[in-house]
Amino acid sequence: MLINGIMVAIGAVFGVLGRATLSKQIDREKHVPFPIATFSINMIGCFVLGFVVALPLEQHFLLLLTTGLIGTFTTFSTLNAENMKLLREKKFALFLCYAGGTYVFGILLIYAGLATARLFV
């Protein structure tokens, strides 16, 4: 049980660092009202999650990569906070694109990750 917690914690450190680094880089180059950093990070996370869960990994490594790394790399709370901001600002078209696009493309990218991993397993 302790090893599971340690594995999640190790993955979480790298997930948070990766998210912070990538988010700052994307935001630095962003010139659009769309929350592109969070969207991009969550889409990358969906593909990687689909890929990882299709691999024959031991439970400890699965926890490190899914709950630890990918769980802290992606963010559900920021997604919803940004959606609420778009609604408050009455940017309904952007809200629909962001909310709908996140779920539609997220599911498609998880499927793509699963399919890609199957090519290697």
Side-chain angles (χ1 to χ4, degrees), residues 67-85:
T67 305
L69 180 71
I70 300 165
T72 57
F73 180 71
T74 60
T75 178
F76 188 70
S77 57
T78 302
L79 161 72
N80 286 302
E82 289 170 345
N83 273 318
M84 289 306 299
K85 181 178 184 233

PDB file of all heavy atoms in Angstrom, residues 67-85:
ATOM      1  N   THR A  67      -2.522   7.957 -12.377  1.00  0.00           N
ATOM      2  CA  THR A  67      -2.961   8.817 -11.274  1.00  0.00           C
ATOM      3  C   THR A  67      -1.919   9.878 -10.955  1.00  0.00           C
ATOM      4  O   THR A  67      -2.262  11.045 -10.766  1.00  0.00           O
ATOM      5  CB  THR A  67      -3.232   7.959 -10.021  1.00  0.00           C
ATOM      6  OG1 THR A  67      -4.168   6.938 -10.355  1.00  0.00           O
ATOM      7  CG2 THR A  67      -3.772   8.815  -8.894  1.00  0.00           C
ATOM      8  N   GLY A  68      -0.660   9.490 -10.919  1.00  0.00           N
ATOM      9  CA  GLY A  68       0.393  10.439 -10.572  1.00  0.00           C
ATOM     10  C   GLY A  68       0.717  11.413 -11.683  1.00  0.00           C
ATOM     11  O   GLY A  68       0.414  12.605 -11.592  1.00  0.00           O
ATOM     12  N   LEU A  69       1.304  10.936 -12.753  1.00  0.00           N
ATOM     13  CA  LEU A  69       1.798  11.804 -13.829  1.00  0.00           C
ATOM     14  C   LEU A  69       0.656  12.458 -14.619  1.00  0.00           C
ATOM     15  O   LEU A  69       0.553  13.683 -14.665  1.00  0.00           O
ATOM     16  CB  LEU A  69       2.690  10.998 -14.780  1.00  0.00           C
ATOM     17  CG  LEU A  69       3.270  11.776 -15.950  1.00  0.00           C
ATOM     18  CD1 LEU A  69       4.343  12.736 -15.460  1.00  0.00           C
ATOM     19  CD2 LEU A  69       3.838  10.833 -16.990  1.00  0.00           C
ATOM     20  N   ILE A  70      -0.199  11.661 -15.220  1.00  0.00           N
ATOM     21  CA  ILE A  70      -1.243  12.216 -16.089  1.00  0.00           C
ATOM     22  C   ILE A  70      -2.309  12.943 -15.271  1.00  0.00           C
ATOM     23  O   ILE A  70      -2.818  13.977 -15.684  1.00  0.00           O
ATOM     24  CB  ILE A  70      -1.858  11.115 -16.974  1.00  0.00           C
ATOM     25  CG1 ILE A  70      -0.776  10.488 -17.857  1.00  0.00           C
ATOM     26  CG2 ILE A  70      -2.991  11.673 -17.832  1.00  0.00           C
ATOM     27  CD1 ILE A  70      -1.172   9.182 -18.507  1.00  0.00           C
ATOM     28  N   GLY A  71      -2.624  12.414 -14.096  1.00  0.00           N
ATOM     29  CA  GLY A  71      -3.631  13.046 -13.243  1.00  0.00           C
ATOM     30  C   GLY A  71      -3.255  14.445 -12.800  1.00  0.00           C
ATOM     31  O   GLY A  71      -4.106  15.313 -12.649  1.00  0.00           O
ATOM     32  N   THR A  72      -1.980  14.693 -12.595  1.00  0.00           N
ATOM     33  CA  THR A  72      -1.555  16.039 -12.198  1.00  0.00           C
ATOM     34  C   THR A  72      -1.158  16.887 -13.393  1.00  0.00           C
ATOM     35  O   THR A  72      -1.128  18.110 -13.288  1.00  0.00           O
ATOM     36  CB  THR A  72      -0.380  15.991 -11.200  1.00  0.00           C
ATOM     37  OG1 THR A  72       0.700  15.268 -11.776  1.00  0.00           O
ATOM     38  CG2 THR A  72      -0.809  15.354  -9.888  1.00  0.00           C
ATOM     39  N   PHE A  73      -0.851  16.262 -14.508  1.00  0.00           N
ATOM     40  CA  PHE A  73      -0.531  17.010 -15.729  1.00  0.00           C
ATOM     41  C   PHE A  73      -1.799  17.656 -16.287  1.00  0.00           C
ATOM     42  O   PHE A  73      -1.800  18.812 -16.694  1.00  0.00           O
ATOM     43  CB  PHE A  73       0.099  16.068 -16.765  1.00  0.00           C
ATOM     44  CG  PHE A  73       0.459  16.721 -18.062  1.00  0.00           C
ATOM     45  CD1 PHE A  73       1.518  17.617 -18.132  1.00  0.00           C
ATOM     46  CD2 PHE A  73      -0.243  16.435 -19.221  1.00  0.00           C
ATOM     47  CE1 PHE A  73       1.848  18.234 -19.334  1.00  0.00           C
ATOM     48  CE2 PHE A  73       0.090  17.031 -20.421  1.00  0.00           C
ATOM     49  CZ  PHE A  73       1.139  17.930 -20.479  1.00  0.00           C
ATOM     50  N   THR A  74      -2.893  16.909 -16.312  1.00  0.00           N
ATOM     51  CA  THR A  74      -4.162  17.440 -16.812  1.00  0.00           C
ATOM     52  C   THR A  74      -4.916  18.113 -15.669  1.00  0.00           C
ATOM     53  O   THR A  74      -4.565  17.961 -14.507  1.00  0.00           O
ATOM     54  CB  THR A  74      -5.029  16.312 -17.401  1.00  0.00           C
ATOM     55  OG1 THR A  74      -5.286  15.347 -16.377  1.00  0.00           O
ATOM     56  CG2 THR A  74      -4.347  15.654 -18.579  1.00  0.00           C
ATOM     57  N   THR A  75      -5.970  18.838 -16.001  1.00  0.00           N
ATOM     58  CA  THR A  75      -6.720  19.518 -14.949  1.00  0.00           C
ATOM     59  C   THR A  75      -8.183  19.683 -15.301  1.00  0.00           C
ATOM     60  O   THR A  75      -8.519  20.260 -16.327  1.00  0.00           O
ATOM     61  CB  THR A  75      -6.109  20.883 -14.616  1.00  0.00           C
ATOM     62  OG1 THR A  75      -6.912  21.509 -13.629  1.00  0.00           O
ATOM     63  CG2 THR A  75      -5.982  21.778 -15.819  1.00  0.00           C
ATOM     64  N   PHE A  76      -9.026  19.163 -14.456  1.00  0.00           N
ATOM     65  CA  PHE A  76     -10.471  19.295 -14.616  1.00  0.00           C
ATOM     66  C   PHE A  76     -10.953  20.603 -13.993  1.00  0.00           C
ATOM     67  O   PHE A  76     -11.840  21.263 -14.525  1.00  0.00           O
ATOM     68  CB  PHE A  76     -11.163  18.098 -13.966  1.00  0.00           C
ATOM     69  CG  PHE A  76     -12.630  18.027 -14.223  1.00  0.00           C
ATOM     70  CD1 PHE A  76     -13.112  17.727 -15.489  1.00  0.00           C
ATOM     71  CD2 PHE A  76     -13.544  18.244 -13.208  1.00  0.00           C
ATOM     72  CE1 PHE A  76     -14.470  17.658 -15.740  1.00  0.00           C
ATOM     73  CE2 PHE A  76     -14.897  18.170 -13.448  1.00  0.00           C
ATOM     74  CZ  PHE A  76     -15.363  17.880 -14.716  1.00  0.00           C
ATOM     75  N   SER A  77     -10.356  20.985 -12.877  1.00  0.00           N
ATOM     76  CA  SER A  77     -10.799  22.197 -12.194  1.00  0.00           C
ATOM     77  C   SER A  77     -10.491  23.452 -13.006  1.00  0.00           C
ATOM     78  O   SER A  77     -11.327  24.360 -13.095  1.00  0.00           O
ATOM     79  CB  SER A  77     -10.160  22.293 -10.802  1.00  0.00           C
ATOM     80  OG  SER A  77      -8.752  22.250 -10.900  1.00  0.00           O
ATOM     81  N   THR A  78      -9.319  23.534 -13.617  1.00  0.00           N
ATOM     82  CA  THR A  78      -9.001  24.700 -14.433  1.00  0.00           C
ATOM     83  C   THR A  78      -9.906  24.760 -15.655  1.00  0.00           C
ATOM     84  O   THR A  78     -10.371  25.833 -16.043  1.00  0.00           O
ATOM     85  CB  THR A  78      -7.518  24.676 -14.861  1.00  0.00           C
ATOM     86  OG1 THR A  78      -6.704  24.644 -13.686  1.00  0.00           O
ATOM     87  CG2 THR A  78      -7.159  25.890 -15.697  1.00  0.00           C
ATOM     88  N   LEU A  79     -10.175  23.624 -16.250  1.00  0.00           N
ATOM     89  CA  LEU A  79     -11.102  23.559 -17.376  1.00  0.00           C
ATOM     90  C   LEU A  79     -12.441  24.193 -17.000  1.00  0.00           C
ATOM     91  O   LEU A  79     -12.972  25.038 -17.717  1.00  0.00           O
ATOM     92  CB  LEU A  79     -11.314  22.094 -17.793  1.00  0.00           C
ATOM     93  CG  LEU A  79     -12.554  21.782 -18.640  1.00  0.00           C
ATOM     94  CD1 LEU A  79     -12.391  22.307 -20.049  1.00  0.00           C
ATOM     95  CD2 LEU A  79     -12.823  20.303 -18.635  1.00  0.00           C
ATOM     96  N   ASN A  80     -12.984  23.800 -15.853  1.00  0.00           N
ATOM     97  CA  ASN A  80     -14.281  24.318 -15.444  1.00  0.00           C
ATOM     98  C   ASN A  80     -14.215  25.782 -15.025  1.00  0.00           C
ATOM     99  O   ASN A  80     -15.149  26.546 -15.297  1.00  0.00           O
ATOM    100  CB  ASN A  80     -14.876  23.449 -14.342  1.00  0.00           C
ATOM    101  CG  ASN A  80     -15.362  22.141 -14.925  1.00  0.00           C
ATOM    102  OD1 ASN A  80     -16.188  22.125 -15.821  1.00  0.00           O
ATOM    103  ND2 ASN A  80     -14.808  21.046 -14.459  1.00  0.00           N
ATOM    104  N   ALA A  81     -13.137  26.204 -14.398  1.00  0.00           N
ATOM    105  CA  ALA A  81     -12.988  27.616 -14.043  1.00  0.00           C
ATOM    106  C   ALA A  81     -12.923  28.475 -15.307  1.00  0.00           C
ATOM    107  O   ALA A  81     -13.536  29.550 -15.376  1.00  0.00           O
ATOM    108  CB  ALA A  81     -11.735  27.817 -13.192  1.00  0.00           C
ATOM    109  N   GLU A  82     -12.202  28.007 -16.311  1.00  0.00           N
ATOM    110  CA  GLU A  82     -12.116  28.754 -17.566  1.00  0.00           C
ATOM    111  C   GLU A  82     -13.455  28.767 -18.297  1.00  0.00           C
ATOM    112  O   GLU A  82     -13.832  29.772 -18.916  1.00  0.00           O
ATOM    113  CB  GLU A  82     -11.003  28.177 -18.445  1.00  0.00           C
ATOM    114  CG  GLU A  82      -9.631  28.476 -17.888  1.00  0.00           C
ATOM    115  CD  GLU A  82      -8.506  27.738 -18.575  1.00  0.00           C
ATOM    116  OE1 GLU A  82      -8.776  26.757 -19.317  1.00  0.00           O
ATOM    117  OE2 GLU A  82      -7.347  28.128 -18.371  1.00  0.00           O
ATOM    118  N   ASN A  83     -14.194  27.671 -18.211  1.00  0.00           N
ATOM    119  CA  ASN A  83     -15.533  27.644 -18.806  1.00  0.00           C
ATOM    120  C   ASN A  83     -16.458  28.644 -18.113  1.00  0.00           C
ATOM    121  O   ASN A  83     -17.220  29.355 -18.773  1.00  0.00           O
ATOM    122  CB  ASN A  83     -16.135  26.238 -18.744  1.00  0.00           C
ATOM    123  CG  ASN A  83     -15.737  25.398 -19.933  1.00  0.00           C
ATOM    124  OD1 ASN A  83     -15.727  25.873 -21.058  1.00  0.00           O
ATOM    125  ND2 ASN A  83     -15.412  24.149 -19.686  1.00  0.00           N
ATOM    126  N   MET A  84     -16.386  28.722 -16.808  1.00  0.00           N
ATOM    127  CA  MET A  84     -17.208  29.693 -16.076  1.00  0.00           C
ATOM    128  C   MET A  84     -16.819  31.125 -16.437  1.00  0.00           C
ATOM    129  O   MET A  84     -17.685  31.992 -16.570  1.00  0.00           O
ATOM    130  CB  MET A  84     -17.084  29.477 -14.565  1.00  0.00           C
ATOM    131  CG  MET A  84     -17.773  28.223 -14.070  1.00  0.00           C
ATOM    132  SD  MET A  84     -19.518  28.119 -14.541  1.00  0.00           S
ATOM    133  CE  MET A  84     -20.178  29.562 -13.755  1.00  0.00           C
ATOM    134  N   LYS A  85     -15.535  31.368 -16.630  1.00  0.00           N
ATOM    135  CA  LYS A  85     -15.080  32.703 -17.031  1.00  0.00           C
ATOM    136  C   LYS A  85     -15.664  33.072 -18.399  1.00  0.00           C
ATOM    137  O   LYS A  85     -16.132  34.198 -18.606  1.00  0.00           O
ATOM    138  CB  LYS A  85     -13.557  32.749 -17.070  1.00  0.00           C
ATOM    139  CG  LYS A  85     -12.998  34.099 -17.455  1.00  0.00           C
ATOM    140  CD  LYS A  85     -11.476  34.085 -17.425  1.00  0.00           C
ATOM    141  CE  LYS A  85     -10.968  35.479 -17.725  1.00  0.00           C
ATOM    142  NZ  LYS A  85     -10.022  35.543 -18.775  1.00  0.00           N
TER     143      LYS A  85
END
